[in-house]
């Protein structure tokens, strides 16, 4: 048991900071490019509502006072933060929700690119990181729908960026916000504390804040919904293994990111090593869900912020000078 704990929560890497001039002009140009590309990828399925997305859409409409509480279906209204933000944006809810998801995907791409920069993979590595997130099946297939997953991916990208920037308190804040988007992101805070990436007082405070949010939403803000239980069963597992559509979506979501990440793990720099354990921890909720309910490619998409740095490590030999990883290039100052 202790060997397993030592593997999942090793001695933390010291993400020391090097004060260098921030490349704001290339950063702003890249951000505009990522946003334009994300819009082009998402446009053809803009604002769709099927299955889960319909429930998130109804949650936003409920917050606007457009539908009654009877239209809500647990557990979707408990993932409140993104629908609430969409409801707060003026205009048609459908358009506001889709617009918000586009902004979240664009921001996630920028932060993933910055993480690659801070890890020492240079301009080309940063560009590759952003493109791997945007030019993917999940961004085309899921991001345009009215889902909360873009918000979760964005929060995880912020978590990774804060961590490699040597700012654990920002990582904790990203974990708290991510928990408001999807409750399983509280795992980020457990890992941050258990892996000793943050002081125990700050870590416990972040965990308490996230737990308080979950309880407040469940019992106060959105109360009175019929209960739901995710109960693992062998029958559900066999059904998942026979669900060709779900398996295909998982395979397509894995796309380039997962194979490249597995290849990159063999040559990853020391500062990437903690993310191997974080990946294992974050894979546990989707695995549990696969035993209880239907899962699809979004389970893999949620791992992109942790997979892409490894994928860039695999691509480093082909990215040329300034993308060698490790300390090949000074990291961006906080």
């Amino acid at each position: 048991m202790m060997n397993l704990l030592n593997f999942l929560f090793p001695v933390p890497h010291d993400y020391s900071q090097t004060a260098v001039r921030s490349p704001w002009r290339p950063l702003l140009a890249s951000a505009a490019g990522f946003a334009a590309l994300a819009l082009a990828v998402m446009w053809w399925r803009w604002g769709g509502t099927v299955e889960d997305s319909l429930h998130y859409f109804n949650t936003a409409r409920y917050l606007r006072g457009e539908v009654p509480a009877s239209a809500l279906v647990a557990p979707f209204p408990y993932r409140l933060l993104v629908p609430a933000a969409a409801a707060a944006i003026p205009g048609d809810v459908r358009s506001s929700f889709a617009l918000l998801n586009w902004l979240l995907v664009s921001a996630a791409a920028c932060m993933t690119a910055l993480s690659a920069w801070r890890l020492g993979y240079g301009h080309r590595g940063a560009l590759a990181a952003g493109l791997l997130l945007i030019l993917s099946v999940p961004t085309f297939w899921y991001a345009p729908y009215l889902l909360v997953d873009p918000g979760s991916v964005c929060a995880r990208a912020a978590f990774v960026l804060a961590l490699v920037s040597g700012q654990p308190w920002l990582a904790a804040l990203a974990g708290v916000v991510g928990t408001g988007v999807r409750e399983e992101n509280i795992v980020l805070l457990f890992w941050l504390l258990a892996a000793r990436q943050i002081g125990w007082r700050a870590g416990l405070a972040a965990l308490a804040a996230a737990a308080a949010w979950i309880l407040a939403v469940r019992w106060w803000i959105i109360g009175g919904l019929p209960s739901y239980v995710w109960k693992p069963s062998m029958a559900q597992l066999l059904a998942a293994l026979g669900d060709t559509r779900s398996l295909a979506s998982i395979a397509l979501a894995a796309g380039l990111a997962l194979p490249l990440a597995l290849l990159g793990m063999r040559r990853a720099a020391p500062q990437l090593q903690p993310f191997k354990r974080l990946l294992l921890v974050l894979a546990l909720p989707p695995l549990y869900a696969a035993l209880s309910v239907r899962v699809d490619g979004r389970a893999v998409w949620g791992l992109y912020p942790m997979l892409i740095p490894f994928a860039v490590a695999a691509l480093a030999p082909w990215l040329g000078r300034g993308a060698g990883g490790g300390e090949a290039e000074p990291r961006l100052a906080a």
Side-chain angles (χ1 to χ4, degrees), residues 197-273:
Q197 298 286 348
I198 194 171
W200 66 270
R201 290 185 179 86
L204 289 177
L207 269 174
W213 169 263
I214 292 174
L215 293 175
V217 171
R218 175 64 179 86
W219 299 108
W220 178 45
I221 301 175
I222 305 288
L225 295 183
S227 61
Y228 72 99
V229 177
W230 283 13
K231 185 177 180 181
S233 68
M234 185 58 64
Q236 176 57 39
L237 176 61
L238 294 175
L241 293 175
D243 188 343
T244 305
R245 181 181 176 185
S246 177
L247 293 175
S249 73
I250 292 172
L252 290 171
L256 286 175
L258 182 58
L260 284 175
L262 293 175
L263 181 62
M265 286 180 185
R266 300 176 58 185
R267 62 181 66 172
Q271 60 263 46
L272 278 177
Q273 299 306 316

Side-chain angles (χ1 to χ4, degrees), residues 30-55:
S30 298
F34 288 146
L37 187 58
L39 183 62
V41 172
M42 296 171 61
W43 184 255
W44 303 105
R45 303 173 63 81
W46 189 265
T49 49
V50 294
E51 299 178 351
D52 293 2
S53 58
L54 179 60
H55 299 305

Side-chain angles (χ1 to χ4, degrees), residues 238-313:
L238 294 175
L241 293 175
D243 188 343
T244 305
R245 181 181 176 185
S246 177
L247 293 175
S249 73
I250 292 172
L252 290 171
L256 286 175
L258 182 58
L260 284 175
L262 293 175
L263 181 62
M265 286 180 185
R266 300 176 58 185
R267 62 181 66 172
Q271 60 263 46
L272 278 177
Q273 299 306 316
F275 294 127
K276 292 181 180 180
R277 282 77 178 184
L278 180 57
L279 273 167
L280 289 176
V281 172
L282 288 176
L284 295 178
L287 289 175
Y288 179 80
L291 298 174
S292 309
V293 294
R294 182 180 180 272
V295 296
D296 54 29
R298 285 176 290 165
V300 180
W301 189 26
L303 302 178
Y304 269 37
M306 282 64 65
L307 289 173
I308 287 176
F310 289 109
V312 174

Side-chain angles (χ1 to χ4, degrees), residues 94-114:
R94 184 183 299 273
S95 298
S96 299
F97 209 138
L99 174 66
L100 178 62
N101 278 353
W102 167 60
L103 294 174
L104 290 168
V105 168
S106 302
C110 292
M111 288 187 287
T112 302
L114 274 173

Side-chain angles (χ1 to χ4, degrees), residues 21-32:
R21 189 168 61 88
S22 301
W24 291 116
R25 289 183 180 178
L27 173 60
L28 292 175
S30 298

